[in-house]
Amino acid sequence: MIEVVCNNCLRKKVCVRCNTDETTGDLKKLLVTHTGTRGNKVVLKKQCTIFKDRVFLVDYEIHSGMNLELYYQ
């Protein structure tokens, strides 16, 4: 289990626990349950990289305690 911290543009932090074998789309589903927004409106970024839904967290080298940026379309 890893814990990922997501910051949105309003400086609200959301901590989510997930497994490393889950996809980024699964992480978005967990974030939607915490924030109450629609799943198709959520975009995850780290600096200039936009994370795609079908790629595993291990492939993006997302580890425990990592901060991601949460944007809304």
Side-chain angles (χ1 to χ4, degrees):
M1 292 289 288
I2 61 172
E3 185 171 316
V4 180
V5 179
C6 297
N7 299 320
N8 65 2
C9 56
L10 300 174
R11 301 290 183 213
K12 182 179 177 184
K13 290 185 178 182
V14 178
C15 295
V16 177
R17 290 185 182 221
C18 57
N19 293 322
T20 55
D21 60 346
E22 293 181 359
T23 62
T24 311
D26 296 333
L27 179 61
K28 283 184 183 181
K29 289 176 187 175
L30 292 172
L31 286 170
V32 166
T33 59
H34 287 291
T35 58
T37 58
R38 288 194 221 160
N40 58 353
K41 299 286 184 182
V42 174
V43 176
L44 289 175
K45 289 184 181 180
K46 180 67 178 178
Q47 294 176 348
C48 296
T49 306
I50 298 174
F51 296 130
K52 297 181 181 178
D53 290 345
R54 296 186 184 128
V55 181
F56 291 101
L57 298 177
V58 175
D59 296 335
Y60 280 127
E61 297 178 356
I62 296 176
H63 54 276
S64 184
M66 189 168 189
N67 290 324
L68 300 178
E69 300 163 5
L70 177 65
Y71 291 99
Y72 305 109
Q73 289 182 340

